[in-house]
Amino acid sequence: MTVPDISVVVPGPAELAEAAAAWTADHIRSAIAERGACYWALAGGETPRGCYERLAQPPYREGLHWRSVFVYWSDERQVPLDDPSSNYAMAKTALLDHVPIPPNQVFPLVGDPTPALRRVPPDAAGRPRFDVIHLGLGDDGHTASLFPGSPALQENRVLVAVVHNAPKPPPERLSFTLPVINAARAVLFMVQGASKREALVRVRRRDPSVPATHVQPVDGELRFIVDQAALP
C-alpha cells in the first residue's frame, strides 16, 4: 500500500482553512464544468468549520455556481438538526446560510438517507459516486463515524451504517460506509492539531487497525491537508 500524498502542509488553522477552501472550490468548478453539477459530502467536527466559513466569503461566495451544488454529509450524530453537536447545524451556520444552494439540494443525513443518496450519479457498481467527500481524522484514527473495531468497517452492502455506542459522544451516529467513500472522485482529509499526530503517523504507515487507513479511492484522488502541529 502506498503512503498518502500529504501534498499541502500549512502553518496553522487559518492556512488550513484557506488551502482546503481553494482545493474544494477547484473541484466544485471542475465537476460543474465536466458534468453539470457537483455532489459534495461534508464533514463534521471543528476542523472543517474553518473551510466552510472561508467558502462563505469572497471570492468563493460569489465566484462559485452554488445552484449546481448538491450537499450531503459523510456522517452525522443522531441528534436534532438544530442541536449544537449536529454536523448539519455546524455547516448551516458556517456555510449554507450564506450561499445560494437551493434548499431542495441539501440532504441531511437523517432517517433513511438511501433515497437521497440514490440521486447521486452512480459508479459502475451502482454506488453513489460523489465528486468530493470531506473527512476528518480523529485522535484514535477514526474518520466519518467509522471507529476502530467497529462492525461498520466491514459493511459492504448498505450505503450508510448505523453506529451504536460510539466511543465519543453522542454515541448514536450514521456514517457513510467505506465502499461509498472509496467510490468518490476526490476525498479530502483535513488534519489539524498535535493531538492528531500519532493517528497520522499510523495512517501513513498503513496500519490496518486505523479506520482512516482504509480510505483508498478506487478511481479517484486522495488528498491530505495537514497543519504543522499535526505533522509527524
Side-chain angles (χ1 to χ4, degrees):
M1 296 181 183
T2 58
V3 173
D5 173 23
I6 301 177
S7 59
V8 180
V9 178
V10 295
E15 293 84 359
L16 191 152
E18 188 69 48
W23 182 95
T24 301
D26 285 346
H27 284 72
I28 290 174
R29 291 189 192 99
S30 295
I32 293 171
E34 295 171 15
R35 294 175 292 279
C38 178
Y39 291 84
W40 176 22
L42 279 61
E46 283 305 304
T47 301
R49 183 192 296 272
C51 172
Y52 302 152
E53 290 175 341
R54 185 67 188 89
L55 287 167
Q57 301 168 7
Y60 307 115
R61 184 177 61 207
E62 296 82 13
L64 292 174
H65 197 271
W66 292 106
R67 294 189 179 279
S68 297
V69 176
F70 294 75
V71 175
Y72 295 74
W73 277 261
S74 55
D75 78 311
E76 184 56 280
R77 289 88 178 265
Q78 295 265 44
V79 295
L81 291 179
D82 60 355
D83 188 284
S85 65
S86 163
N87 292 339
Y88 168 85
M90 183 275 281
K92 183 176 187 297
T93 301
L95 174 65
L96 300 177
D97 285 347
H98 309 286
V99 295
I101 300 174
N104 64 352
Q105 292 173 199
V106 176
F107 303 97
L109 194 64
V110 295
D112 179 7
T114 303
L117 286 170
R118 292 300 183 194
R119 298 183 60 168
V120 181
D123 67 3
R127 299 186 181 98
R129 189 168 196 211
F130 282 89
D131 296 295
V132 176
I133 293 181
H134 280 180
L135 294 173
L137 179 67
D139 300 0
D140 59 356
H142 83 268
T143 192
S145 282
L146 301 173
F147 292 90
S150 170
L153 289 166
Q154 309 304 321
E155 183 59 68
N156 58 19
R157 293 173 299 138
V158 301
L159 304 177
V160 174
V162 179
V163 178
H164 301 290
N165 301 315
K168 295 182 67 175
E172 303 296 318
R173 301 175 177 226
L174 297 170
S175 179
F176 280 6
T177 54
L178 285 168
V180 173
I181 295 172
N182 287 331
R185 288 187 167 87
V187 176
L188 173 64
F189 275 92
M190 290 173 266
V191 186
Q192 178 180 306
S195 66
K196 310 297 177 65
R197 189 177 300 154
E198 180 58 30
L200 188 58
V201 167
R202 294 173 68 192
V203 172
R204 297 187 75 192
R205 290 175 180 166
R206 311 312 285 164
D207 182 340
S209 69
V210 176
T213 294
H214 300 283
V215 174
Q216 300 174 52
V218 175
D219 182 24
E221 174 186 356
L222 176 62
R223 192 60 51 97
F224 283 65
I225 299 180
V226 180
D227 76 355
Q228 285 284 354
L231 191 66

